[in-house]
Amino acid sequence: MTAEIRCVESAPFAQNSYVLWLPGRNDAVVVDPGFEPDLILELLAGEKLHLAAILNTHGHVDHIAGNAAMKHAAPTAPLVIGVGDAAMLTDADLNLSGPFGMPVTSPPADHTVGEGESISFAGMDFDVLDLPGHSPGHVVFLVRGTKPLLVLGGDVLFREGIGRYDFPGGSFEQLATSIRTKLFPLPADSVVYPGHGPVTTVGHEKANNPFVGENA
């Protein structure tokens, strides 16, 4: 299976949102809508797609700021987040927008997920992995059946980097263990679509990541 995936980068944090759909279908999934949801809505309109679901990898404000606009545009599209980060959606202090002086909240989750669960939207199956360390309830979504495997990674593993672990609930030990035990066993050609920066592969990070790679 080949899925179309487009990245929409949002200011001011250069955060990556993703729109995924299957060729020939008219429904799509949006992952981590950020501070510029109009760009996502323009992409959906341009491709003649309707929104089937909103997936949040975690609850930090730069990844949820566009949730309200997505729900306004598609009220029936379920909002999905890891159970451990669900409270961040509706609490500006927990999602870190309050402490930065720009309080933002999101509609509450319609569905929460955790390790080992699978969800299906827009003809695609997503397997859920718990990868705490950047935030307590951070999850990663694997798009099952794609070749190479698509990994919607949020702020866990970046190209030759890792997510911050100095926020409340963060832990380098948790983050490193999460990556090494959950992501590095995936096929080497698995493509990681991160929350910031360019795409990478599991094999590249296993060999080259200075924080969690083989030579770290």
Side-chain angles (χ1 to χ4, degrees):
M1 180 180 73
T2 301
E4 295 281 348
I5 181 166
R6 302 279 180 86
C7 177
V8 177
E9 186 180 275
S10 295
F13 299 108
Q15 179 267 342
N16 296 333
S17 305
Y18 295 102
V19 181
L20 294 89
W21 71 97
L22 294 180
R25 290 185 65 112
N26 66 351
D27 47 0
V29 171
V30 169
V31 180
D32 288 348
F35 276 103
E36 297 190 82
D38 287 352
L39 299 178
I40 299 171
L41 295 173
E42 288 171 11
L43 191 157
L44 291 170
E47 297 290 341
K48 298 181 173 56
L49 298 167
H50 72 263
L51 181 56
I54 307 146
L55 307 185
N56 291 156
T57 60
H58 64 294
H60 289 154
V61 63
D62 52 330
H63 292 256
I64 67 167
N67 283 353
M70 295 296 111
K71 288 291 284 187
H72 180 76
T76 62
L79 173 57
V80 181
I81 193 169
V83 64
D85 275 12
M88 292 184 181
L89 295 175
T90 56
D91 188 317
D93 288 330
L94 291 178
N95 68 39
L96 304 183
S97 60
F100 283 99
M102 49 177 187
V104 173
T105 56
S106 159
D110 296 299
H111 184 57
T112 58
V113 292
E115 177 74 25
E117 290 188 54
S118 295
I119 52 176
S120 300
F121 299 107
M124 295 174 282
D125 298 322
F126 300 86
D127 294 331
V128 180
L129 301 178
D130 286 341
L131 276 93
H134 175 68
S135 70
H138 195 299
V139 296
V140 165
F141 298 99
L142 310 180
V143 189
R144 191 193 313 156
T146 51
K147 295 188 182 302
L149 182 67
L150 304 185
V151 181
L152 300 164
D155 287 359
V156 172
L157 183 64
F158 299 142
R159 184 170 179 83
E160 297 181 15
I162 58 173
R164 290 178 62 165
Y165 46 85
D166 57 341
F167 292 136
S171 161
F172 173 76
E173 290 75 17
Q174 270 195 323
L175 186 58
T177 299
S178 294
I179 293 167
R180 289 168 175 154
T181 62
K182 302 285 182 71
L183 296 185
F184 281 173
L186 298 174
D189 65 348
S190 301
V191 182
V192 180
Y193 290 85
H196 304 269
V199 300
T200 188
T201 65
V202 165
H204 180 86
E205 298 314 312
K206 195 172 181 180
N208 299 290
N209 194 288
F211 301 96
V212 293
E214 292 169 335
N215 297 315

